[in-house]
Amino acid sequence: MFVITNAWKNVIRNKGRNLLVLVIVALIAAAATIGLSIRQSAQNARTTGLADTTVTAQISLDRNTLLAAAQKQGANGGQPDFQALRKSLAGKQLSLADYQKYAKASSAVKATYYSQSAGLSATTGFQPVSSSDTSAGTDSSASGQSDSQGSSGSSQDSQGYGAREAMGGRGMQSGDFKLTGFSSDTAVDHATNGKFTMSSGKVFGYDKVSAGQIIISKALAQFNGIAVGDTITVANATDSTKTYKLTVAGIYTNTSAAGGTSGGMGNAADPDNAIYTSMATLDSLSLSSASTGESPEMQLNFTYVVSDKAGYAAFAKDVKAAGLSSDYTVSSPDVEEYEASLVPLDNLAKFALTLLLIVLGVGGAVLVALNVFNIRERKYEVGVLTAIGVRKAKVAAQFVFELLIVTMAGLALGAAAGAAASVPVSNHLLASQVAAQQSQQATQLAQFGRGMQGGGMPSGSQGQTGSQPGGASNAQGPSTTGRYERRASAFGKATNYVSSINSTVNVSVVGELVLIGLALTVISSLAAVVVIMRYEPLQILADRS
């Protein structure tokens, strides 16, 4: 009790010196509070940002690994063995049954949806939206003939197809239209061409009764004079003698597709030439992989929906246990997009850690120096106490308690100031990091001598693919707000950077601050203890006299 009482009296007695120590500790605590809250926010955003958000996942062929292995085996210093490279990729595409098997293999999967695309060619009565007729699926001699002629009209069309095939154009072999079949409304909502709204009619059904129903774009309908309820005739992209009659159930308008041009990649690549239908229609036309087997012209996109990021990790583990070959990878566009959105926040967390270490190092050194000077000034007091019988350990403990009282008071003041300043300071620093990230992307674009052309999107726009369900733009961790900044890249889709955080001081931050205060007290007091233990009381008194 003597130690504590005497320590408090000395704190009151030496106001000036202790006030200086208190200010220094308060500054250290304020900086530490801001740094710790930023790191805590970054950690919470990373671990819990997708905890309660629906996440999608895909299984895809790891072509890079397969090609690298094939190149290594066939490396002979000359021309690559193209046959071996093609062989390494042949037969690797997963079937619909395979995807469904892996869905059943994991309890983390809550739902699935999928789509598949096939190419179709034009006929005399139904042409793609195009500024020229070089890729049309009809020979000019067949102009004006009715599609109702059936195989005869198809024979006329085969002349045009033969000419295109002789030209060797791969894009032309894929057809003039891209027919995409969907498994459900969810799959339609995530069409690769982006969002759309119905102008007239309604979306097709998904059962066998609705097989043959399609919806087409408003531009394609206007180009061909088609209305809801009309029947169109299209041809097989690889065998124009095969024709299909489809009923237009609705007409849609693209709302997020990037323009209506094919970009020189053929009519099938033009969003306005996209024809949407159900998987039941593809099956009935024998255009699905389930009916024709694997085909490079048929793109099967299968998506798994899991509850959260933990479910995604469990799904990846389960499918590997179910026998998924190492030739395939499990990925999630939602997780990848969210990770990319955290880049500025991660950079800020690293900066905060560096600043925290510097502040603690400099502040600790100053406190040690002040404490040593304090002991030297009170050398006579130490000599008197030890001369009257007070043990050196108690004297040293008194000085430790004095510093602890001042440190805890400074820590409380600094923590309060840091908590008040943490949100505006953190957001200001984060804005600088986001600006730096954007500047880096702008520099990359400038290296190519141009701004965003074609590949990029203006700030605030949506990409063609649309946002995945529960994507990064919907994810909110406990210490991140829901505000994101849309940033376009010429080399990939837009990234929603986390542009503001709510770096509040929680129990974890307070606990870390207390530990920091105790550490500063112990470290700076050690110097005083060492000095006190070296003093001899009689020598001190003799020097004084």
Side-chain angles (χ1 to χ4, degrees):
M1 192 65 184
F2 164 78
V3 172
I4 299 176
T5 303
N6 209 33
W8 175 251
K9 289 181 179 179
N10 279 288
V11 169
I12 301 299
R13 185 182 303 118
N14 302 306
K15 295 183 178 65
R17 182 185 66 247
N18 290 326
L19 183 61
L20 176 61
V21 174
L22 186 144
V23 170
I24 294 174
V25 173
L27 292 175
I28 295 174
T33 300
I34 296 174
L36 290 174
S37 62
I38 291 174
R39 286 179 52 79
Q40 185 72 17
S41 297
Q43 182 65 25
N44 286 343
R46 181 166 295 280
T47 57
T48 63
L50 295 177
D52 300 321
T53 305
T54 300
V55 175
T56 61
Q58 286 85 34
I59 298 176
S60 57
L61 182 65
D62 190 355
R63 289 187 175 182
N64 292 333
T65 302
L66 290 173
L67 291 176
Q71 287 174 336
K72 185 176 181 180
Q73 293 176 358
N76 52 12
Q79 187 177 7
D81 187 350
F82 295 111
Q83 190 66 24
L85 295 177
R86 293 190 181 96
K87 186 177 180 181
S88 66
L89 298 177
K92 296 292 186 179
Q93 184 175 339
L94 293 178
S95 65
L96 178 59
D98 293 329
Y99 285 115
Q100 292 173 335
K101 179 187 73 173
Y102 293 123
K104 296 177 181 179
S106 177
S107 59
V109 177
K110 303 304 179 183
T112 62
Y113 61 87
Y114 57 95
S115 63
Q116 190 164 12
S117 299
L120 293 176
S121 292
T123 58
T124 55
F126 191 70
Q127 299 286 312
V129 178
S130 176
S131 59
S132 65
D133 60 357
T134 55
S135 62
T138 307
D139 183 55
S140 59
S141 63
S143 177
Q145 294 188 18
S146 172
D147 284 330
S148 63
Q149 292 177 349
S151 61
S152 175
S154 301
S155 177
Q156 296 280 357
D157 181 66
S158 67
Q159 299 175 21
Y161 172 79
R164 296 196 309 277
E165 186 177 34
M167 294 172 63
R170 181 177 178 84
M172 294 182 182
Q173 289 181 358
S174 64
D176 300 301
F177 308 101
K178 183 178 181 181
L179 178 66
T180 302
F182 298 94
S183 63
S184 63
D185 286 344
T186 304
V188 175
D189 189 49
H190 297 90
T192 56
N193 286 332
K195 304 290 184 179
F196 64 86
T197 57
M198 297 301 297
S199 299
S200 59
K202 60 181 180 180
V203 177
F204 44 82
Y206 300 97
D207 52 11
K208 293 183 178 180
V209 177
S210 302
Q213 295 180 353
I214 61 170
I215 60 175
I216 61 176
S217 70
K218 187 175 182 179
L220 184 59
Q222 291 176 338
F223 191 83
N224 289 274
I226 300 296
V228 173
D230 289 349
T231 300
I232 66 170
T233 301
V234 288
N236 188 288
T238 57
D239 184 1
S240 59
T241 61
K242 295 181 180 179
T243 58
Y244 313 105
K245 290 187 179 296
L246 302 171
T247 302
V248 178
I251 297 174
Y252 67 87
T253 301
N254 288 313
T255 58
S256 63
T261 63
S262 61
M265 296 299 292
N267 291 326
D270 190 328
D272 285 336
N273 290 326
I275 302 175
Y276 295 154
T277 187
S278 64
M279 287 300 299
T281 298
L282 288 187
D283 291 336
S284 66
L285 300 179
S286 298
L287 291 176
S288 66
S289 59
S291 57
T292 62
E294 179 185 337
S295 173
E297 299 295 333
M298 297 179 182
Q299 307 165 8
L300 177 60
N301 300 310
F302 198 99
T303 301
Y304 303 89
V305 181
V306 296
S307 57
D308 49 28
K309 187 177 180 180
Y312 164 66
F315 169 72
K317 182 178 180 181
D318 291 340
V319 295
K320 291 293 183 182
L324 182 65
S325 169
S326 58
D327 295 338
Y328 303 89
T329 59
V330 179
S331 60
S332 171
D334 299 323
V335 174
E336 292 170 359
E337 183 179 353
Y338 190 70
E339 292 287 342
S341 73
L342 294 178
V343 170
L345 185 58
D346 289 340
N347 292 337
L348 180 59
K350 294 177 182 177
F351 170 77
L353 176 61
T354 302
L355 179 63
L356 178 62
L357 294 177
I358 293 175
V359 169
L360 291 180
V362 174
V366 172
L367 288 179
V368 169
L370 288 176
N371 208 26
V372 170
F373 289 143
N374 179 34
I375 298 300
R376 293 177 67 85
E377 290 177 359
R378 298 168 62 185
K379 184 177 180 180
Y380 183 73
E381 178 185 346
V382 174
V384 172
L385 290 174
T386 53
I388 63 177
V390 180
R391 291 182 299 175
K392 291 183 178 180
K394 280 192 173 183
V395 177
Q398 174 187 317
F399 282 91
V400 172
F401 271 106
E402 289 180 22
L403 186 60
L404 183 62
I405 293 173
V406 177
T407 300
M408 290 297 109
L411 200 67
L413 292 176
S422 62
V423 173
V425 171
S426 299
N427 286 325
H428 177 73
L429 294 175
L430 181 57
S432 299
Q433 291 292 332
V434 172
Q437 194 71 15
Q438 293 175 349
S439 177
Q440 181 181 0
Q441 292 182 348
T443 301
Q444 292 175 348
L445 292 174
Q447 290 175 350
F448 287 83
R450 60 177 183 268
M452 288 183 294
Q453 297 179 7
M457 292 171 290
S459 178
S461 65
Q462 294 182 354
Q464 286 191 16
T465 58
S467 59
Q468 295 290 341
S473 59
N474 296 326
Q476 298 183 27
S479 49
T480 58
T481 69
R483 188 164 66 89
Y484 294 84
E485 183 167 348
R486 174 71 70 179
R487 178 61 182 169
S489 169
F491 308 104
K493 66 179 182 179
T495 299
N496 295 319
Y497 290 137
V498 175
S499 58
S500 64
I501 57 176
N502 182 22
S503 53
T504 55
V505 178
N506 54 22
V507 177
S508 177
V509 173
V510 172
E512 291 175 335
L513 286 174
V514 172
L515 292 177
I516 289 175
L518 292 175
L520 289 175
T521 302
V522 171
I523 292 173
S524 56
S525 299
L526 284 177
V529 172
V530 171
V531 172
I532 291 173
M533 292 303 176
R534 294 176 60 185
Y535 285 160
E536 292 295 335
L538 296 179
Q539 185 64 41
I540 293 174
L541 295 177
D543 292 340
R544 176 77 174 183
S545 62

